[in-house]
Amino acid sequence: ALPSARAVCEAAHAALASFRDFEPATSAYFEWLFFDNPLDDGRSLAERFLAGAARHLSPRVVDYIRLMSGTHLHPYQIRKVVPDQGLQVRDLWTGEDRFISEHAATTEVRRWQVLVARLASHTDGSLQMEGTPFVLPAAARRDLMSDLKHAHKSYAKEPDARARSPCTPSHQ
């Protein structure tokens, strides 16, 4: 049996509390909360915020929020590291091959590692990482994908899961 939505929400909050000193996990949580978590009306917090405040923000801030709203965390396997240029990766969810323009990461990552990141297309045509990326060892790939597929299957079985989050009041 699946845990109740309340239990999932409580577990998520407990997990967040245990990561307070772990900045990347905290950043990733807030990115998810702001850009991915659907509220009771199906919009994200970012979309709701822009609907009410965009006219008070600089165009650059509005553009960035819209850019981030169009991204989602995906698992990628690093296929090739091109020093000082970027990474050739394969999206482990879709199977699509992509090239990420990312200079700094080319000294930090290795072929076959798993990169969990948000990618965004920029106006110059390049694909770049946005937000908080995570690099996992190559050996994590199998378990990560198994867990993601299982979670996706469970999520897809819920009739109106896409329109709400287990952390919204309608679930409690």
Side-chain angles (χ1 to χ4, degrees):
L2 292 173
S4 71
R6 180 179 210 95
V8 170
C9 210
E10 288 172 359
H13 289 288
L16 177 62
S18 71
F19 283 115
R20 280 193 189 119
D21 294 328
F22 186 52
E23 192 274 330
T26 303
S27 294
Y29 172 78
F30 284 109
E31 288 168 13
W32 169 82
L33 186 66
F34 195 66
F35 298 111
D36 299 326
N37 180 42
L39 300 174
D40 54 355
D41 63 358
R43 295 184 299 170
S44 70
L45 189 57
E47 291 165 327
R48 191 181 282 180
F49 174 72
L50 280 180
R55 67 183 179 278
H56 303 293
L57 303 171
S58 75
R60 189 172 183 180
V61 169
V62 171
D63 287 347
Y64 184 74
I65 293 172
R66 287 187 178 139
L67 173 82
M68 288 295 287
S69 293
T71 67
H72 299 284
L73 281 174
H74 269 246
Y76 299 93
Q77 184 177 53
I78 299 170
R79 310 291 281 191
K80 184 177 181 181
V81 177
V82 182
D84 297 319
Q85 292 182 29
L87 309 170
Q88 183 70 43
V89 299
R90 175 163 294 153
D91 187 320
L92 294 174
W93 193 255
T94 67
E96 183 180 3
D97 289 328
R98 315 207 59 190
F99 186 80
I100 304 170
S101 297
E102 177 60 45
H103 306 279
T106 64
T107 62
E108 303 292 325
V109 299
R110 302 288 173 259
R111 185 175 187 201
W112 306 121
Q113 286 180 318
V114 175
L115 172 68
V116 180
R118 294 172 179 272
L119 301 184
S121 295
H122 285 259
T123 55
D124 64 359
S126 66
L127 190 63
Q128 298 176 22
M129 284 190 281
E130 295 294 340
T132 306
F134 292 90
V135 178
L136 305 172
R141 177 182 177 224
R142 183 173 304 200
D143 288 342
L144 173 68
M145 293 311 296
S146 175
D147 290 349
L148 284 174
K149 287 176 183 175
H150 176 66
H152 183 261
K153 217 183 249 189
S154 297
Y155 180 78
K157 286 180 184 177
E158 227 180 295
D160 60 347
R162 295 181 199 280
R164 59 182 166 71
S165 162
C167 296
T168 57
S170 63
H171 266 54
Q172 298 177 358

